[in-house]
Short mmCIF file of all heavy atoms in Angstrom, two decimals:
data_model
loop_
_atom_site.label_atom_id
_atom_site.label_comp_id
_atom_site.label_asym_id
_atom_site.label_seq_id
_atom_site.Cartn_x
_atom_site.Cartn_y
_atom_site.Cartn_z
N GLY D 941 -47.48 -91.63 -35.91
CA GLY D 941 -46.40 -92.43 -36.50
C GLY D 941 -45.11 -92.08 -35.75
O GLY D 941 -44.13 -92.58 -36.13
N SER D 942 -45.13 -91.17 -34.86
CA SER D 942 -43.84 -90.72 -34.28
C SER D 942 -43.35 -91.58 -33.08
O SER D 942 -42.33 -91.51 -32.57
CB SER D 942 -44.05 -89.40 -33.67
OG SER D 942 -44.95 -89.31 -32.64
N GLY D 943 -44.31 -92.61 -32.80
CA GLY D 943 -43.98 -93.48 -31.77
C GLY D 943 -43.84 -92.95 -30.40
O GLY D 943 -43.36 -93.57 -29.44
N LEU D 944 -44.51 -91.82 -30.26
CA LEU D 944 -44.45 -91.27 -28.88
C LEU D 944 -45.65 -91.57 -28.01
O LEU D 944 -46.00 -90.81 -27.12
CB LEU D 944 -44.32 -89.74 -29.07
CG LEU D 944 -42.97 -89.12 -29.54
CD1 LEU D 944 -43.01 -87.56 -29.45
CD2 LEU D 944 -41.78 -89.56 -28.54
N GLY D 945 -46.17 -92.74 -28.11
CA GLY D 945 -47.21 -93.14 -27.44
C GLY D 945 -48.54 -92.19 -27.38
O GLY D 945 -49.07 -91.96 -26.50
N SER D 946 -48.85 -91.91 -28.71
CA SER D 946 -50.00 -90.97 -28.89
C SER D 946 -51.34 -91.77 -28.30
O SER D 946 -52.27 -91.17 -27.74
CB SER D 946 -50.13 -90.61 -30.18
OG SER D 946 -50.22 -91.66 -31.09
N SER D 947 -51.30 -93.23 -28.29
CA SER D 947 -52.47 -93.89 -27.91
C SER D 947 -52.70 -93.66 -26.46
O SER D 947 -53.83 -93.51 -25.94
CB SER D 947 -52.41 -95.29 -28.22
OG SER D 947 -51.36 -95.89 -27.55
N ALA D 948 -51.69 -93.59 -25.65
CA ALA D 948 -51.78 -93.42 -24.07
C ALA D 948 -52.31 -91.92 -23.95
O ALA D 948 -53.26 -91.80 -23.10
CB ALA D 948 -50.49 -93.60 -23.36
N ALA D 949 -51.70 -90.99 -24.60
CA ALA D 949 -52.10 -89.68 -24.50
C ALA D 949 -53.64 -89.38 -24.75
O ALA D 949 -54.29 -88.80 -24.11
CB ALA D 949 -51.20 -88.68 -25.34
N VAL D 950 -53.99 -90.05 -25.89
CA VAL D 950 -55.41 -89.84 -26.37
C VAL D 950 -56.35 -90.58 -25.35
O VAL D 950 -57.42 -90.01 -25.09
CB VAL D 950 -55.55 -90.43 -27.74
CG1 VAL D 950 -57.03 -90.49 -28.15
CG2 VAL D 950 -54.84 -89.45 -28.78
N THR D 951 -55.96 -91.76 -24.92
CA THR D 951 -56.85 -92.45 -23.96
C THR D 951 -57.05 -91.79 -22.67
O THR D 951 -58.03 -91.54 -22.17
CB THR D 951 -56.13 -93.94 -23.69
OG1 THR D 951 -55.99 -94.65 -24.89
CG2 THR D 951 -57.02 -94.68 -22.70
N VAL D 952 -55.90 -91.21 -22.14
CA VAL D 952 -55.99 -90.48 -20.86
C VAL D 952 -56.76 -89.31 -20.95
O VAL D 952 -57.66 -88.89 -20.16
CB VAL D 952 -54.52 -90.19 -20.40
CG1 VAL D 952 -54.60 -89.29 -19.19
CG2 VAL D 952 -53.78 -91.53 -19.90
N ALA D 953 -56.55 -88.43 -22.07
CA ALA D 953 -57.26 -87.23 -22.35
C ALA D 953 -58.80 -87.49 -22.56
O ALA D 953 -59.67 -86.83 -21.91
CB ALA D 953 -56.65 -86.42 -23.42
N THR D 954 -59.14 -88.64 -23.32
CA THR D 954 -60.52 -88.96 -23.55
C THR D 954 -61.20 -89.23 -22.21
O THR D 954 -62.22 -88.84 -21.96
CB THR D 954 -60.56 -90.19 -24.60
OG1 THR D 954 -59.96 -89.75 -25.72
CG2 THR D 954 -62.06 -90.41 -24.86
N LEU D 955 -60.59 -90.09 -21.44
CA LEU D 955 -61.11 -90.63 -20.19
C LEU D 955 -61.50 -89.34 -19.20
O LEU D 955 -62.50 -89.16 -18.62
CB LEU D 955 -60.32 -91.56 -19.47
CG LEU D 955 -60.40 -93.09 -20.09
CD1 LEU D 955 -59.39 -94.06 -19.28
CD2 LEU D 955 -61.88 -93.58 -19.90
N ALA D 956 -60.40 -88.58 -19.12
CA ALA D 956 -60.46 -87.47 -18.23
C ALA D 956 -61.60 -86.40 -18.72
O ALA D 956 -62.27 -85.96 -17.94
CB ALA D 956 -59.14 -86.55 -18.15
N ALA D 957 -61.74 -86.14 -20.03
CA ALA D 957 -62.71 -85.36 -20.47
C ALA D 957 -64.16 -85.89 -20.29
O ALA D 957 -65.07 -85.33 -19.93
CB ALA D 957 -62.57 -85.07 -22.02
N LEU D 958 -64.21 -87.29 -20.35
CA LEU D 958 -65.56 -87.94 -20.15
C LEU D 958 -65.93 -87.78 -18.69
O LEU D 958 -67.12 -87.63 -18.41
CB LEU D 958 -65.38 -89.42 -20.65
CG LEU D 958 -65.56 -89.69 -22.11
CD1 LEU D 958 -65.19 -91.19 -22.44
CD2 LEU D 958 -67.05 -89.43 -22.44
N TYR D 959 -64.93 -88.05 -17.78
CA TYR D 959 -65.29 -87.97 -16.46
C TYR D 959 -65.79 -86.59 -16.06
O TYR D 959 -66.68 -86.35 -15.28
CB TYR D 959 -64.00 -88.34 -15.54
CG TYR D 959 -63.69 -89.80 -15.68
CD1 TYR D 959 -62.28 -90.16 -15.59
CD2 TYR D 959 -64.62 -90.76 -15.85
CE1 TYR D 959 -62.06 -91.60 -15.67
CE2 TYR D 959 -64.31 -92.12 -15.89
CZ TYR D 959 -62.99 -92.49 -15.73
OH TYR D 959 -62.67 -93.88 -15.88
N ARG D 960 -65.08 -85.55 -16.66
CA ARG D 960 -65.52 -84.19 -16.41
C ARG D 960 -66.92 -84.00 -17.02
O ARG D 960 -67.80 -83.30 -16.30
CB ARG D 960 -64.52 -83.17 -17.07
CG ARG D 960 -63.22 -83.10 -16.35
CD ARG D 960 -63.38 -82.24 -15.13
NE ARG D 960 -62.09 -82.20 -14.51
CZ ARG D 960 -61.83 -81.59 -13.38
NH1 ARG D 960 -62.89 -81.15 -12.74
NH2 ARG D 960 -60.66 -81.59 -12.85
N TYR D 961 -67.05 -84.35 -18.16
CA TYR D 961 -68.48 -84.26 -18.83
C TYR D 961 -69.64 -84.78 -17.98
O TYR D 961 -70.66 -84.28 -17.96
CB TYR D 961 -68.37 -84.92 -20.25
CG TYR D 961 -69.64 -84.67 -21.00
CD1 TYR D 961 -69.78 -83.51 -21.74
CD2 TYR D 961 -70.64 -85.67 -21.25
CE1 TYR D 961 -70.96 -83.25 -22.54
CE2 TYR D 961 -71.74 -85.45 -21.98
CZ TYR D 961 -71.94 -84.28 -22.65
OH TYR D 961 -72.93 -84.16 -23.40
N HIS D 962 -69.30 -86.03 -17.35
CA HIS D 962 -70.41 -86.82 -16.63
C HIS D 962 -70.34 -86.44 -15.09
O HIS D 962 -70.99 -87.08 -14.41
CB HIS D 962 -70.20 -88.26 -16.94
CG HIS D 962 -70.65 -88.62 -18.35
ND1 HIS D 962 -71.97 -88.52 -18.75
CD2 HIS D 962 -69.94 -89.04 -19.29
CE1 HIS D 962 -72.11 -88.87 -20.01
NE2 HIS D 962 -70.86 -89.28 -20.31
N ASN D 963 -69.38 -85.51 -14.79
CA ASN D 963 -69.18 -85.23 -13.39
C ASN D 963 -68.93 -86.35 -12.51
O ASN D 963 -69.48 -86.59 -11.55
CB ASN D 963 -70.45 -84.41 -13.02
CG ASN D 963 -70.21 -83.63 -11.71
OD1 ASN D 963 -69.10 -83.37 -11.38
ND2 ASN D 963 -71.25 -83.15 -10.97
N ILE D 964 -68.04 -87.32 -12.99
CA ILE D 964 -67.57 -88.51 -12.25
C ILE D 964 -66.37 -88.10 -11.54
O ILE D 964 -65.36 -87.61 -12.18
CB ILE D 964 -67.44 -89.63 -13.27
CG1 ILE D 964 -68.69 -89.98 -13.98
CG2 ILE D 964 -66.86 -90.89 -12.53
CD1 ILE D 964 -68.59 -90.93 -15.10
N ARG D 965 -66.29 -88.42 -10.24
CA ARG D 965 -65.02 -88.12 -9.54
C ARG D 965 -63.94 -89.12 -9.95
O ARG D 965 -64.17 -90.20 -10.19
CB ARG D 965 -65.33 -88.37 -7.98
CG ARG D 965 -66.14 -87.30 -7.35
CD ARG D 965 -66.62 -87.75 -5.94
NE ARG D 965 -65.45 -87.70 -5.11
CZ ARG D 965 -65.23 -86.61 -4.32
NH1 ARG D 965 -66.13 -85.60 -4.36
NH2 ARG D 965 -64.22 -86.50 -3.52
N PHE D 966 -62.77 -88.49 -10.09
CA PHE D 966 -61.56 -89.28 -10.33
C PHE D 966 -60.42 -88.67 -9.80
O PHE D 966 -60.36 -87.48 -9.49
CB PHE D 966 -61.38 -89.64 -11.85
CG PHE D 966 -61.13 -88.38 -12.61
CD1 PHE D 966 -59.80 -88.20 -12.99
CD2 PHE D 966 -62.01 -87.33 -13.05
CE1 PHE D 966 -59.39 -87.01 -13.78
CE2 PHE D 966 -61.69 -86.13 -13.64
CZ PHE D 966 -60.28 -85.98 -14.11
N ASN D 967 -59.27 -89.53 -9.66
CA ASN D 967 -58.05 -88.80 -9.30
C ASN D 967 -57.02 -89.64 -10.26
O ASN D 967 -57.33 -90.48 -11.13
CB ASN D 967 -57.64 -89.17 -7.77
CG ASN D 967 -57.79 -90.62 -7.47
OD1 ASN D 967 -57.43 -91.45 -8.24
ND2 ASN D 967 -58.18 -91.04 -6.25
N LYS D 968 -55.76 -89.09 -10.19
CA LYS D 968 -54.68 -89.59 -11.08
C LYS D 968 -54.52 -91.07 -11.02
O LYS D 968 -54.35 -91.78 -12.06
CB LYS D 968 -53.41 -88.84 -10.85
CG LYS D 968 -53.46 -87.48 -11.41
CD LYS D 968 -52.10 -86.79 -11.38
CE LYS D 968 -52.24 -85.50 -12.08
NZ LYS D 968 -51.12 -84.60 -11.86
N LYS D 969 -54.65 -91.67 -9.73
CA LYS D 969 -54.46 -93.12 -9.64
C LYS D 969 -55.53 -93.85 -10.36
O LYS D 969 -55.30 -94.78 -11.19
CB LYS D 969 -54.46 -93.46 -8.08
CG LYS D 969 -54.00 -94.85 -7.79
CD LYS D 969 -53.75 -95.03 -6.34
CE LYS D 969 -53.41 -96.43 -5.98
NZ LYS D 969 -53.82 -97.02 -4.78
N SER D 970 -56.90 -93.48 -10.18
CA SER D 970 -57.88 -94.10 -10.74
C SER D 970 -57.81 -93.94 -12.33
O SER D 970 -58.17 -94.91 -13.05
CB SER D 970 -59.23 -93.72 -10.16
OG SER D 970 -59.51 -92.45 -10.57
#
Side-chain angles (χ1 to χ4, degrees):
S942 64
L944 288 181
S946 49
S947 61
V950 168
T951 302
V952 170
T954 302
L955 283 173
L958 278 168
Y959 290 147
R960 289 283 182 187
Y961 185 78
H962 289 293
N963 202 15
I964 297 170
R965 286 169 73 97
F966 70 99
N967 56 33
K968 284 189 175 165
K969 192 169 175 213
S970 67

